Amino acid sequence: MGLIGNLRQSIANMFGYSPTMYNNFNDAFAWATHGGGYTPYDANATTYLEEGYNTNAMVFSVIDAMARKSSTVPMYVRKVRDEEALSNLNKLRKATGYDMQLSQRLKHMALENKAFADQTMPLPLDKPNPYQTWTELQMLYKTFLKMTGNAYFYMPCAENGMNKGEPKALYLLPSHMIQIVVKEGVSMIGYENPVEEYILTSGNQYVKFKSEDVIHIKYGNPNYSDDGEHLYGFSPLRPLLKNIQSSNDAMELNAKTLKSGGAFGFIHGKNVPITEDQAKQLKQRLVEMNDDPGDLARIAGSSAEMGFTRISLTADELKPFDYLKFDMKQICNALGWSDNLMNNDDGGKHDKQKEERKRVITDNIVPDLKLLIDALNSDFLPRFKGYDGQCLEFDIMELPEMQDDAKELSEIMFEGVRMAVFNRDEARKALNFPETNVPSMQRHTLSSDVISLEEAIDNDFNGNQGSNGFEQEVREN
């Protein structure tokens, strides 16, 4: 049935109507009948997939590594309790890029406790669509965004009934097959949304999506044009096309060299020239020797002394692996990843690896997840009933790469509890332990005894420590 057929059938099953297929794409389209016409389509969009992700092992390895890591970050829905605290929390996250010192992490924890209620809610859909889980969707989102600079989410919504306008599913459309249609006569610097619709093309079929049903996430594009080229995101692979071609050519050359044994040149007589017929017979004999698997098949005789003049460079002279190493570094730089994490022999020691793993989380994974969360909070989550005042969040602090400061944090929290700066439930939450919700665990106490701060202030510190009601309450709970 194909991609478009499957998508149409899935939507038809969801809403209970028969899908209509659109054929004869070239005959059916007249540019002027679709708004103001098409924006210039990036001709390399398919190249990024076919010659980059599908063919080039370096591009695939880097994008796949970041996509897999991105898919491990948990997402959940939380109720916003304090908008001002949430604003300050987002400012702190933006300023630090989640790469926080311990003092900033403690401030983050305090703002988070104030901004959100303790309870979390499940995502509004158990699965985003019949074909994918949320983890798969996160992974594919990262793949398309890094490959093409664009991610298009389609939300088929109920058109009638109590749930009118509520999304029934969330599909991630193939970015390299999407074209943007702009409105006729629209200004690119006005207040109006210039996008009329999005069109997915596959072979001789196409399907149109209303702009209000599509969430378009993209990287900034400095290539501005009045017909809307800048409406597409800028692909990180675009400046890498020469590196992709270079590494693909290097691998092709490597395969050819291995197949030929590196023998490129001319065979000739050293003292007596050979005739054209002799040269052809000699070449034919060499081909036969190469094809024959027998033990002695590659031994031949000659009545004259022969010579061989090489006309190619050896692998040692060409140094293809030096060029491949350079291409790998360029690819990692443009995609925001570390070549030290890509099985690089020069990747450095263990401490360097740990540092790089944490850096790619804060510099690569977080910014793209922030784009996703902001878009879903703006255009997806508010469409569901019962999700008013809710906010979709992600949490990178659970990742192993972000646990380096756990020992130092536990020491600070222990001292903070001892000096009544934090209560015990706050310390447990900071260390990623579940809160007890026991009232006594939410008191601020001093280390001189397990009593509340109020009791410590009222009592005589020279020995009169009161009835120690805190211990009794803990035992009762």
Side-chain angles (χ1 to χ4, degrees), residues 356-398:
E356 288 299 286
R357 290 184 186 280
K358 183 175 180 179
R359 184 185 67 81
V360 296
I361 296 295
T362 57
D363 294 357
N364 182 292
I365 302 300
V366 165
D368 290 348
L369 281 178
K370 188 67 169 65
L371 289 176
L372 174 63
I373 292 296
D374 286 348
L376 295 182
N377 278 330
S378 173
D379 301 320
F380 178 70
L381 198 63
R383 297 189 180 211
F384 291 90
K385 295 177 181 177
Y387 281 82
D388 294 337
Q390 308 292 329
C391 181
L392 194 60
E393 285 277 297
F394 64 88
D395 186 8
I396 65 166
M397 296 304 179
E398 296 289 343

Side-chain angles (χ1 to χ4, degrees), residues 63-75:
I63 293 181
D64 184 65
M66 60 179 69
R68 288 181 182 277
K69 176 52 67 175
S70 183
S71 69
T72 65
V73 180
M75 293 195 304

Side-chain angles (χ1 to χ4, degrees), residues 64-103:
D64 184 65
M66 60 179 69
R68 288 181 182 277
K69 176 52 67 175
S70 183
S71 69
T72 65
V73 180
M75 293 195 304
Y76 44 85
V77 179
R78 304 188 69 176
K79 182 174 180 58
V80 179
R81 183 164 54 188
D82 189 318
E83 292 286 352
E84 183 179 357
L86 178 60
S87 176
N88 292 331
L89 178 64
N90 288 330
K91 290 176 183 177
L92 177 63
R93 290 171 172 176
K94 185 175 182 179
T96 61
Y98 283 82
D99 186 13
M100 303 177 191
Q101 302 299 318
L102 278 174
S103 60

Side-chain angles (χ1 to χ4, degrees), residues 51-53 55-60 62 237 240-255 319-332:
E51 300 298 332
Y53 188 82
T55 303
N56 190 287
M58 298 180 186
V59 172
F60 168 79
V62 175
L237 296 186
L240 292 173
L241 285 177
K242 290 185 178 179
N243 297 97
I244 293 173
Q245 180 182 352
S246 169
S247 53
N248 285 345
D249 290 345
M251 296 306 297
E252 287 288 337
L253 178 61
N254 184 53
K319 300 186 182 302
F321 295 107
D322 288 347
Y323 288 107
L324 287 172
K325 188 180 295 185
F326 171 78
D327 287 333
M328 184 59 155
K329 186 173 287 290
Q330 293 293 94
I331 290 171
C332 286

